[in-house]
Amino acid sequence: MSSFINRLSASRFAWLNAMLIIGAILSNAMIGFKNIYDIADIHKDLTNAGEVMLVIDSMHIDMLNAESSQRGYLISKKEAFLAPYKETLEQFKATLKRLQQIKSQSHLQQARIEEFAKLAQIKLNSLGASIDLAAITDETQQQRLLQDTQLSQGDMRKLYQVIIEEETLIRQALLQRLEQARTQAKSNVIWFTVLSILMCIFIVVLLNKHLKNQKAAKQQLEALNQVLEQRVKERTQALEVYTDELNRSNRELEDFAFVASHDLQEPLRKIRAFADRLTTTCGDQLGAKGCDYLARMNAAAVRMSTLITDLLELSRVTTRGKAFVQVDLNNLLKQVTDDLEIAIEESQGSIVIHPLPTIIADASQLSQLFSNLLSNAIKFRHSQRALEIEIHSESISAPSHLTHQQGTWIKITISDNGIGFAPEYAEKIFTPFQRLHTRKEYAGTGIGLAVCRRIIERHGGQIYAVPNANNGASFTITLPTDANLFSVQDNTNELLTTEKN
Amino acid sequence: MNYSQPKRINILMADDDEDDRMLTQDALDEGRVLNTINFVHDGVELLEYLRHEGRFSDVRAHPRPSLILLDLNMPRMDGRQALKEIKADPNLRSIPVVILTTSKQEEDKLRGYDSGAASYISKPVNFESLVELMKNLGKYWIEIVELP
């Protein structure tokens, strides 16, 4: 019981472990993914910052080119100096477009960039205007125009520097973050590896322990089994010894009954013989009274002889039983009723026998059984009504009352309309030499039903009697369809051999 | 066959029971069966008698019997064994053996006849039956059967 509980908690423990391991793996994987995404984000931001700087730079350079070109033109008034300005004008549109697409990390920087773009646009416009004006205005005015542009040029330069510095700072912050993310990723990998190794070791240890436990449990079970087997063996042996002892004492008892009854017959025979001799040779001297005494003595000896014969018959049921063979009960009963034909005719009785099955039993004993039962029915018939006997059978499936082994049985009921018996004697009538009537009323020793019971018991069956509601009695027999399966240990053959020796 | 002079035969009875021996003698006398009868008490004596050994060496006093009445249950050597020995002996084999016993067991009957018994008879329960039996035995074995 305790090992069972242990096993239950062990399985729970295993499940908990599995959950923990899976949880650790999942969280590790999530952290790993997060690291990767972080690094990718930082890279993207870095690229963005670089782009911002590049675009701002190129715009700045463009502006410078445009400005120097304008200045050159204003001073020299030569169209050739305007070529870089025109080129810048072309490039500016594309650069502006690129600038508009870029978004800086910080809103402040973004606002600066937008401001820078606006200023660049204004600057370009003013440059364009100054160039257009140059054709019509005089030199002093041109000088003023130059100064104007130079002034605005100073604002832009300042803004440019701020943007570049800010963006450089952003980049540095990003690079720092990148470094951090990388370090974290590295430490994560190391932690995960360590954890994995630890888990592997843990699992191996657990598995090892489990295997050891299992081995120990198996050994324990085997040891227990052996103890149990040993105990069963011992019990079986004890039981065998007991059974042998029982069989032996049973056999002795039966031998005793047989020998005793046989040997008792001898002196009785002598008593009768010498009583005969006495009556014949000295009858005259003895007188009527003496002869009466002798006659009574003789009658008592005869009765005792009959009793002994009956006792012998009872003991022979088990000691002289024959092997169980196929018996057609219809034929068997036909024979029994044929033997009793005269008695049946004298009693003016009628016997109705319904179809009976064929079973495996001792034919001669069953013959004796039915003969006894039918003789009883005839003997104890009612003087006022014609005897009617009915025999019918049914097949039933039930466990044996002795071994509880399931089997098929036939239940035969023999009911008559005779004198019956009081219900309290239902069991008593099967006792050897038990009689319900005086010898004068009905002859006999009272062994018939005891023999019947013995026979039925030898077949592993049951017999009982009930008085009928409307006079008469019913005897019910249950017999196995195969007596070999249900017979109580049959030591008939053994007995035969011992007696022969 | 000479009818004027009744034939006499020698009967040998093997029985350990003194009462039975006496009753048998009485029954023979009562039945006026004019045969001589000799008694032995067990199987060993029976064989000694038949082989004229020991105290049975005098052949005149112990003539060869024409009929043996054999009890089955006897001390030293029982009737079953004695019967086997007689039937195994070429000199004795021809003597008819009638088993006269109290045993009513089927096996004894079967084995008796199997071993070569001429008849198997249960000892009668009263004296009258015994007298009747002795008369009938005498009549059968003396007047009807021709013995060697």
Side-chain angles (χ1 to χ4, degrees):
Chain A
M1 196 70 197
S2 66
S3 74
F4 178 71
I5 289 167
N6 280 346
R7 219 179 301 161
L8 194 78
S9 64
S11 87
R12 262 188 203 166
F13 184 61
W15 272 111
L16 201 71
N17 277 332
M19 301 285 267
L20 279 174
I21 288 165
I22 290 168
I25 289 169
L26 283 176
S27 64
N28 264 314
M30 272 164 71
I31 289 166
F33 272 120
K34 198 176 164 288
N35 277 147
I36 291 165
Y37 282 125
D38 276 355
I39 290 168
D41 277 349
I42 292 165
H43 268 293
K44 219 166 87 187
D45 287 350
L46 271 172
T47 317
N48 193 52
E51 188 85 348
V52 167
M53 283 166 87
L54 204 71
V55 172
I56 295 290
D57 230 20
S58 88
M59 195 170 262
H60 182 66
I61 289 163
D62 285 352
M63 282 302 122
L64 288 178
N65 281 343
E67 204 177 351
S68 69
S69 157
Q70 174 238 25
R71 209 175 286 172
Y73 175 71
L74 284 184
I75 295 163
S76 65
K77 299 269 182 184
K78 283 181 182 164
E79 279 288 324
F81 278 102
L82 274 177
Y85 164 75
K86 279 175 186 162
E87 204 179 311
T88 305
L89 211 62
E90 287 299 308
Q91 271 180 14
F92 183 76
K93 276 176 197 161
T95 314
L96 192 68
K97 216 174 186 183
R98 267 172 75 195
L99 190 69
Q100 277 163 350
Q101 276 167 354
I102 298 165
K103 285 249 152 62
S104 178
Q105 239 88 30
S106 85
H107 293 286
L108 204 68
Q109 184 78 340
Q110 183 68 27
R112 283 191 199 117
I113 290 166
E114 274 164 22
E115 178 69 23
F116 185 80
K118 218 187 276 173
L119 281 177
Q121 183 76 53
I122 293 165
K123 173 94 182 182
L124 270 184
N125 287 345
S126 72
L127 278 179
S130 70
I131 289 164
D132 289 344
L133 276 174
I136 49 166
T137 51
D138 57 19
E139 200 138 321
T140 49
Q141 269 179 322
Q142 277 174 6
Q143 278 302 318
R144 227 185 63 222
L145 277 173
L146 257 172
Q147 277 166 353
D148 277 358
T149 50
Q150 264 168 345
L151 270 173
S152 60
Q153 185 68 30
D155 287 348
M156 256 194 95
R157 191 165 290 153
K158 235 181 246 167
L159 193 60
Y160 165 74
Q161 257 153 14
V162 170
I163 288 171
I164 291 297
E165 272 166 24
E166 187 66 32
E167 207 57 36
T168 310
L169 280 176
I170 287 170
R171 265 193 74 167
Q172 269 168 359
L174 281 171
L175 279 170
Q176 216 167 359
R177 267 180 64 201
L178 185 66
E179 193 52 40
Q180 268 175 5
R182 276 194 184 139
T183 317
Q184 208 184 344
K186 240 185 255 172
S187 74
N188 275 345
V189 166
I190 289 165
W191 274 115
F192 183 61
T193 310
V194 169
L195 199 69
S196 297
I197 289 167
L198 281 177
M199 276 190 305
C200 277
I201 291 168
F202 182 65
I203 286 167
V204 166
V205 166
L206 219 71
L207 212 69
N208 204 24
K209 200 182 162 196
H210 175 70
L211 281 174
K212 263 186 194 163
N213 277 351
Q214 211 171 28
K215 211 174 161 188
K218 203 181 162 191
Q219 272 170 351
Q220 206 177 352
L221 205 71
E222 268 169 14
L224 263 172
N225 259 351
Q226 260 174 354
V227 169
L228 210 68
E229 225 166 83
Q230 184 61 31
R231 236 178 255 173
V232 167
K233 216 181 262 176
E234 277 167 21
R235 289 280 157 85
T236 312
Q237 219 162 19
L239 216 64
E240 265 169 17
V241 169
Y242 183 68
T243 312
D244 280 354
E245 188 63 22
L246 211 67
N247 272 341
R248 198 181 55 76
S249 79
N250 221 9
R251 206 161 51 221
E252 270 176 6
L253 213 66
E254 274 159 2
D255 281 356
F256 172 77
F258 183 77
V259 171
S261 49
H262 181 260
D263 288 355
L264 285 174
Q265 289 282 19
E266 280 293 299
L268 274 177
R269 196 171 52 80
K270 303 272 177 59
I271 291 170
R272 288 168 70 187
F274 288 117
D276 269 356
R277 294 299 295 142
L278 202 60
T279 320
T280 331
T281 53
C282 316
D284 299 342
Q285 286 112 298
L286 283 172
K289 201 155 197 183
C291 284
D292 184 44
Y293 289 158
L294 270 177
R296 281 173 192 277
M297 192 178 91
N298 217 6
V302 168
R303 202 159 65 75
M304 188 163 172
S305 182
T306 320
L307 284 171
I308 289 166
T309 310
D310 288 349
L311 198 64
L312 198 61
E313 195 184 316
L314 190 65
S315 86
R316 275 183 175 174
V317 170
T318 37
T319 58
R320 294 289 181 275
K322 291 200 175 63
F324 298 128
V325 291
Q326 280 224 330
V327 186
D328 182 353
L329 291 178
N330 298 301
N331 288 347
L332 188 119
L333 263 157
K334 173 86 172 53
Q335 231 162 4
V336 171
T337 47
D338 282 352
D339 290 344
L340 293 171
E341 200 182 357
I342 296 163
I344 295 164
E345 257 172 36
E346 275 176 1
S347 68
Q348 292 174 323
S350 63
I351 303 182
V352 181
I353 302 171
H354 296 283
L356 297 168
T358 295
I359 61 167
I360 292 170
D362 183 334
S364 68
Q365 287 193 341
L366 284 197
S367 184
Q368 192 180 3
L369 169 92
F370 285 112
S371 178
N372 283 0
L373 289 175
L374 290 179
S375 301
N376 266 3
I378 294 163
K379 186 158 133 191
F380 298 107
R381 67 182 181 270
H382 201 283
S383 55
Q384 302 301 311
R385 40 176 190 263
L387 173 67
E388 281 168 20
I389 302 171
E390 195 178 339
I391 300 173
H392 65 86
S393 78
E394 56 177 310
S395 179
I396 50 169
S397 183
S400 160
H401 68 288
L402 293 174
T403 59
H404 306 291
Q405 183 191 344
Q406 197 71 24
T408 40
W409 305 73
I410 57 148
K411 188 170 163 184
I412 305 170
T413 309
I414 299 148
S415 65
D416 61 53
N417 61 346
I419 58 168
F421 56 86
E424 60 263 37
Y425 297 118
E427 192 52 35
K428 224 174 174 183
I429 51 174
F430 291 102
T431 316
F433 305 119
Q434 189 66 51
R435 294 164 50 85
L436 302 181
H437 308 276
T438 63
R439 277 200 301 282
K440 266 186 190 163
E441 286 175 303
Y442 293 99
T445 56
I447 200 73
L449 288 177
V451 169
C452 287
R453 172 158 278 185
R454 267 285 171 93
I455 290 171
I456 292 294
E457 277 170 359
R458 191 186 154 230
H459 286 76
Q462 272 180 298
I463 181 169
Y464 56 90
V466 283
N468 285 342
N470 52 343
N471 293 311
S474 285
F475 287 82
T476 305
I477 302 161
T478 47
L479 278 169
T481 49
D482 184 352
N484 285 316
L485 302 177
F486 294 97
S487 163
V488 279
Q489 197 183 3
D490 198 73
N491 46 23
T492 314
N493 294 330
E494 211 180 326
L495 275 170
L496 279 177
T497 48
T498 47
E499 222 157 86
K500 271 174 197 166
N501 295 337
Chain B
M1 204 172 278
N2 193 346
Y3 287 99
S4 59
Q5 199 179 351
K7 251 175 39 174
R8 278 172 172 238
I9 61 162
N10 295 313
I11 301 171
L12 180 62
M13 183 174 189
D15 199 326
D16 61 317
D17 192 318
E18 202 197 328
D19 297 334
D20 276 342
R21 291 199 298 268
M22 189 185 112
L23 286 168
T24 308
Q25 181 74 63
D26 280 4
L28 277 172
D29 293 344
E30 193 129 319
R32 284 183 286 280
V33 182
L34 300 168
N35 299 313
T36 53
I37 185 156
N38 284 294
F39 296 101
V40 286
H41 299 174
D42 57 47
V44 177
E45 275 193 8
L46 174 63
L47 288 170
E48 278 176 358
Y49 181 104
L50 292 174
R51 288 164 183 164
H52 304 293
E53 288 166 359
R55 65 185 177 96
F56 304 105
S57 53
D58 184 355
V59 180
R60 230 181 235 200
H62 308 289
R64 180 187 166 95
S66 308
L67 180 70
I68 297 171
L69 297 178
L70 182 66
D71 186 21
L72 286 182
N73 299 312
M74 290 184 293
R76 294 213 285 173
M77 184 193 283
D78 70 4
R80 303 169 188 87
Q81 185 60 34
L83 180 62
K84 268 186 205 162
E85 301 249 340
I86 291 165
K87 291 301 165 191
D89 190 328
N91 291 325
L92 310 175
R93 195 183 291 157
S94 57
I95 307 171
V97 178
V98 173
I99 293 171
L100 187 63
T101 180
T102 48
S103 171
K104 285 176 182 170
Q105 291 178 49
E106 280 299 316
E107 307 102 74
D108 276 340
K109 281 184 206 172
L110 281 172
R111 274 166 53 165
Y113 282 116
D114 234 28
S115 305
S119 307
Y120 187 104
I121 299 168
S122 284
K123 279 183 183 173
V125 286
N126 57 34
F127 187 72
E128 277 156 45
S129 314
L130 186 64
V131 172
E132 199 62 28
L133 173 71
M134 283 305 150
K135 272 189 189 168
N136 286 337
L137 264 179
K139 200 172 186 177
Y140 180 74
W141 289 108
I142 296 153
E143 290 175 23
I144 300 169
V145 176
E146 287 192 21
L147 294 171

